Amino acid sequence: MDSEYFTITQPQSILDLPEHFFLEYLSKYLEIPELFNFRCCSRMCRDLVDQILGRRKRLYIQRKNILDDNKEDRREISFRVIAQKCKMLREIHLINLFWLTDDLLLELLNNNTELEVLILHWCFEITTRGLHPLAVKCKKLHTLHIADVRVCDGFLQTLNIHNNHLEDICLSLYSLSEETLQDFFKMQHHLKKICMFNFVYVDMLEKHSFILNTIANYCKDLEYLDILDTGWVNDEAVLNVARNCPKITNLIVDLDKLSNNTIEYLKSKKIDTDSENLSYVEYMKFSTESKRYFF
């Protein structure tokens, strides 16, 4: 350790460390559960942890074990502390939190209006109300992944009014209408990655084609499109995307529904369609399993 911090006596425990050293160096190695255990040690520890939370730029929380359903009240209390103390977050990942409610998420989003990335997967109690601050206050948001969240047309419509610079979006909003999806993609000219899946109530091929054509005509920066899990593919719409999006390198689709001529054209443009690779949704699910912070 740097001798400038310890000119008189050597520290006997972590509590003897200078506050600056703890905040700048040690805190980055402590996981969320460890911070909360430390927070319970004393009033000084509580104040230190609150400062650490206030400095955090990234937050990863996921349900570690689907069978570990106890201590639900403790989880909610801990999350409320995070929501109140974290005010500089730029990136939030909330994965498979069955207990997360609109009220808890509202407080977190209201206190973090500089947010740039939100990954919200399998938080089944969240509705449009819980995401409202994201649509109206988070002007710097560029990455939004929402899976199995009960939101409706109004969320995307409000988001479109306040934010037209999204770059990366993942949607499983099966309650959305065709008109809302088309209006959304018409406004989001900067999208580079799009993933859509589980549109279980949209079963007309014509609607699928209209949405893909809108993407092709307005999302000129598109690099990655994953519609493997939607089932809505036809040759004309896929070719329209390939021809009108010059930067596209990945177009993940069900090749069984395309003609050989279309497949050959995609290959000639060096557009990867390999469905043997992880789809975008599966990749996100896999990658979040390695995150460190659990409730």
Side-chain angles (χ1 to χ4, degrees):
M1 294 183 180
D2 197 325
S3 60
E4 68 176 284
Y5 291 108
F6 312 109
T7 57
I8 301 177
T9 60
Q10 292 294 318
Q12 301 298 311
S13 73
I14 192 173
L15 297 179
D16 297 325
L17 292 173
E19 180 178 303
H20 173 75
F21 187 85
F22 190 91
L23 292 174
E24 295 294 332
Y25 300 100
L26 287 186
S27 62
K28 67 180 69 175
Y29 300 107
L30 296 179
E31 301 176 5
I32 293 291
E34 294 168 343
L35 284 175
F36 273 89
N37 288 336
F38 183 68
R39 192 175 185 271
C40 296
C41 292
S42 69
R43 182 175 298 176
M44 183 196 74
C45 295
R46 181 197 63 191
D47 293 342
L48 274 175
V49 171
D50 288 350
Q51 289 187 63
I52 292 170
L53 293 175
R55 294 178 175 212
R56 287 237 180 227
K57 298 295 181 65
R58 296 177 178 86
L59 177 67
Y60 297 86
I61 303 177
Q62 72 175 96
R63 187 179 179 185
K64 184 176 182 180
N65 187 339
I66 198 168
L67 299 178
D68 183 18
D69 291 342
N70 59 351
K71 301 180 180 177
E72 182 173 344
D73 292 340
R74 182 178 177 181
R75 290 191 184 100
E76 294 181 5
I77 293 172
S78 298
F79 191 91
R80 194 170 294 279
V81 171
I82 291 174
Q84 293 171 353
K85 304 301 179 182
C86 290
K87 297 184 179 181
M88 296 180 62
L89 293 176
R90 300 295 184 270
E91 185 172 342
I92 297 176
H93 294 238
L94 304 175
I95 312 296
N96 200 18
L97 305 183
F98 68 99
W99 45 266
L100 185 64
T101 63
D102 282 339
D103 289 337
L104 291 171
L105 186 60
L106 273 171
E107 190 166 14
L108 179 65
L109 295 179
N110 275 322
N111 284 334
N112 291 278
T113 57
E114 299 296 304
L115 191 65
E116 299 173 3
V117 177
L118 176 66
I119 312 295
L120 188 68
H121 284 187
W122 307 296
C123 298
F124 301 106
E125 295 301 315
I126 298 302
T127 68
T128 297
R129 187 174 74 88
L131 290 169
H132 184 70
L134 188 76
V136 299
K137 294 183 178 181
C138 300
K139 306 294 186 179
K140 296 182 179 180
L141 185 74
H142 59 72
T143 297
L144 175 61
H145 295 185
I146 303 179
D148 291 316
V149 177
R150 294 179 291 139
V151 299
C152 58
D153 285 351
F155 171 71
L156 282 192
Q157 292 166 351
T158 304
L159 182 64
N160 251 358
I161 294 172
H162 298 277
N163 185 332
N164 64 354
H165 51 265
L166 292 175
E167 297 180 3
D168 184 345
I169 190 158
C170 178
L171 299 173
S172 71
L173 310 182
Y174 47 79
S175 60
L176 286 175
S177 68
E178 173 202 359
E179 292 77 12
T180 293
L181 285 169
Q182 291 196 71
D183 289 342
F184 175 75
F185 289 119
K186 285 179 181 178
M187 289 291 294
Q188 301 297 334
H189 299 161
H190 303 292
L191 280 171
K192 297 178 180 179
K193 294 184 178 181
I194 299 174
C195 175
M196 293 178 288
F197 63 104
N198 289 339
F199 281 73
V200 295
Y201 297 121
V202 182
D203 56 2
M204 292 179 63
L205 187 58
E206 290 79 7
K207 289 189 176 184
H208 307 159
S209 301
F210 291 153
I211 295 169
L212 287 183
N213 288 335
T214 300
I215 291 173
N217 293 330
Y218 289 90
C219 302
K220 300 300 185 180
D221 289 337
L222 188 64
E223 300 173 2
Y224 185 107
L225 176 62
D226 183 353
I227 51 175
L228 179 64
D229 196 39
T230 64
W232 36 290
V233 175
N234 67 26
D235 291 290
E236 181 182 355
V238 169
L239 288 172
N240 196 18
V241 172
R243 290 166 178 161
N244 287 280
C245 300
K247 298 180 182 180
I248 193 162
T249 58
N250 294 78
L251 211 171
I252 312 302
V253 297
D254 185 352
L255 297 180
D256 291 338
K257 297 185 178 180
L258 299 179
S259 69
N260 290 333
N261 288 338
T262 298
I263 294 174
E264 289 301 318
Y265 178 80
L266 296 177
K267 289 180 179 179
S268 71
K269 301 290 287 186
K270 297 183 179 180
I271 297 175
D272 187 3
T273 60
D274 189 0
S275 60
E276 295 297 321
N277 295 328
L278 285 176
S279 72
Y280 196 44
V281 176
E282 291 170 330
Y283 169 76
M284 288 306 304
K285 180 179 179 180
F286 174 78
S287 64
T288 55
E289 290 177 356
S290 64
K291 303 303 181 185
R292 297 185 303 161
Y293 308 137
F294 302 102
F295 270 163

